[in-house]
Amino acid sequence: MNAPLTDSFGRNVNYLRLSLTDRCDLRCFYCMAEHMVFLPRKDLLSLEELGQVADAFIGRGVRKIRLTGGEPLVRKDFLTLVEHLSTHLSAGRIDEIALTTNATQLHRFAKPLKSLGVKRINISLDSLDPLAFNRITRGGNITRVLEGIDAGLEAGLKLKINTVALKNDNADEIPAMIEWAHERGMDMTLIEVMPMGDISANRTDQYIPLTEIRETLEQKWALHNTTETTGGPSRYVHINETGGRLGFISPLSQNFCAGCNRVRVTCTGKLYMCLGQNDHVDLRRALREGGPGMLDAALDKAMINKPERHNFEINRKSTPAVARHMSVTGG
Ligand code: SAM
Ligand code: SF4
């Protein structure tokens, strides 16, 4: 293995989030604008090229790869990339292939993913109420998502539910969602809305700090802080009454950048060293013009430029911290 990826703040990068597409079959109102302009298909890296990018990171010590998007399961033939990564998994070169999905297509892919060595999947779900789900996703059908979750559990996948806390749309429903997830043996993580991309709405009307949600939950249950970590920004508590774990991802109310171990690559090969900053390195050019040697040099450059932290803030006057949507960077 070549030198591990370490940034100028001494943080070791061993986790890659790889976006397969910026497209999606839903339009969650905090994530996308209603009428999104998607990238031309010709600009996308092929699945083979995405595999080569992954190989370069693995050669530099990355041990965990998460496929994301847009919606990763809508990328045609995406399983061929999972098959490629699976060879690294079997050879012990990586520890985990993970996935983040809205689960609308999971009923089709749960079994093949499990057989390729995927163990854990994060599922984004912001309401169990069919009407609220339809409103938040601008047209989504919750039945498909619940079928996908059932298929994932049946296939023996460990599922975690990710829920973005929305002041007017699901804050009241969160305790019931926690009970529902924990009854099914699924952990749950709550996430604060982040100011990424223009969504033709004001995020002040959506944002609710998780400190507030936590106070409400503490009136109902005893939340026991745990030191458990999945290597990410989530801070976990255990809830005895429901028997499950609950994570809090609070980029705005409690910054977590000091322990950052990850970078993100878009489906066009842009390597973003921070979710909330614009600095990036063009891996597509490195790959197409220079091959593996130039890719390696590009990763070194990225490590030097990885910013210390994001500067997210949400208030009436603030504009999005970055112009690109979460669906472009891969959440
Ligand atoms: N489509 C897949 C999904 O929804 O799981 C994967 C991509 S999505 C961009 C990844 C995660 O980012 C989801 O959990 C979603 O809720 C979250 N997300 C999107 N936009 C966000 C925003 N502005 N603030 C906070 N979370 C956001
Ligand atoms: Fe699609 Fe995921 Fe964004 Fe929702 S959060 S619009 S499912 S990419």
Side-chain angles (χ1 to χ4, degrees):
M1 185 183 85
N2 292 331
L5 297 172
T6 306
D7 76 0
S8 48
F9 301 95
R11 296 173 298 193
N12 177 234
V13 172
N14 52 21
Y15 179 13
L16 169 67
R17 296 171 79 105
L18 191 55
S19 172
L20 305 193
T21 175
D22 65 327
R23 288 166 196 253
C24 186
D25 51 352
L26 300 180
R27 294 284 182 280
C28 303
F29 63 51
Y30 55 83
C31 175
M32 292 194 175
E34 189 159 8
H35 302 288
M36 287 289 284
V37 179
F38 294 110
L39 294 161
R41 284 187 208 275
K42 66 173 177 44
D43 288 355
L44 266 56
L45 294 186
S46 67
L47 291 169
E48 199 189 351
E49 286 174 317
L50 285 167
Q52 289 166 352
V53 167
D55 295 348
F57 278 96
I58 294 166
R60 300 294 299 273
V62 160
R63 303 290 305 180
K64 175 172 172 182
I65 297 186
R66 177 176 297 280
L67 304 181
T68 178
E71 174 48 39
L73 304 195
V74 303
R75 173 98 191 229
K76 194 163 171 278
D77 297 330
F78 81 97
L79 280 178
T80 58
L81 176 63
V82 185
E83 279 163 16
H84 174 73
L85 297 176
S86 185
T87 59
H88 288 297
L89 196 62
S90 321
R93 287 189 288 270
I94 53 174
D95 301 323
E96 186 173 7
I97 308 168
L99 221 112
T100 301
T101 173
N102 63 26
T104 59
Q105 309 295 318
L106 192 57
H107 59 287
R108 295 164 57 203
F109 296 114
K111 275 194 189 146
L113 285 168
K114 180 73 175 31
S115 63
L116 287 168
V118 174
K119 292 200 176 75
R120 298 191 301 165
I121 294 187
N122 287 353
I123 292 176
S124 308
L125 178 63
D126 301 321
S127 178
L128 285 168
D129 172 54
L131 288 178
F133 180 84
N134 182 272
R135 185 174 68 248
I136 294 167
T137 58
R138 296 197 186 97
N141 177 355
I142 196 165
T143 310
R144 299 287 305 281
V145 174
L146 297 178
E147 281 168 12
I149 291 173
D150 286 345
L153 292 172
E154 255 165 54
L157 290 160
K158 178 91 183 132
L159 305 184
K160 177 163 80 73
I161 302 295
N162 282 348
T163 301
V164 174
L166 300 163
K167 185 162 58 183
N168 298 319
D169 292 276
N170 68 6
D172 295 345
E173 202 198 335
I174 283 175
M177 290 186 75
I178 296 170
E179 281 172 335
W180 170 85
H182 288 179
E183 267 166 23
R184 285 159 184 75
M186 302 186 285
D187 286 342
M188 182 156 166
T189 292
L190 302 174
I191 306 172
E192 283 175 354
V193 171
M194 295 173 231
M196 299 188 62
D198 186 5
I199 50 166
S200 18
N202 194 317
R203 284 198 172 88
T204 328
D205 300 327
Q206 303 172 352
Y207 173 67
I208 174 163
L210 291 186
T211 41
E212 216 173 286
I213 301 271
R214 187 174 171 141
E215 276 166 24
T216 313
L217 296 177
E218 278 170 339
Q219 286 164 19
K220 187 174 166 68
W221 298 313
L223 309 188
H224 301 280
N225 287 324
T226 74
T227 49
E228 291 166 41
T229 168
T230 52
S234 224
R235 295 184 169 99
Y236 283 100
V237 298
H238 189 270
I239 308 179
N240 283 349
E241 291 90 336
T242 59
R245 271 200 318 176
L246 176 67
F248 294 88
I249 299 186
S250 318
L252 286 98
S253 61
Q254 290 175 304
N255 182 280
F256 47 62
C257 300
C260 185
N261 66 343
R262 63 203 54 204
V263 291
R264 296 170 167 84
V265 174
T266 71
C267 57
T268 57
K270 284 185 178 162
L271 164 56
Y272 283 98
M273 291 76 83
C274 173
L275 186 61
Q277 301 282 1
N278 286 316
D279 298 341
H280 63 275
V281 171
D282 185 0
L283 297 186
R284 184 175 62 179
R285 205 173 136 239
L287 181 68
R288 290 186 181 168
E289 292 178 14
M294 201 160 147
L295 255 185
D296 239 4
L299 299 192
D300 287 329
K301 181 176 167 202
M303 285 305 102
I304 293 168
N305 292 335
K306 185 167 161 60
E308 186 175 10
R309 53 168 293 164
H310 65 72
N311 298 311
F312 286 147
E313 62 169 359
I314 291 182
N315 57 49
R316 288 266 159 217
K317 285 190 203 127
S318 60
T319 50
V322 288
R324 64 186 190 279
H325 294 89
M326 183 78 99
S327 53
V328 171
T329 323

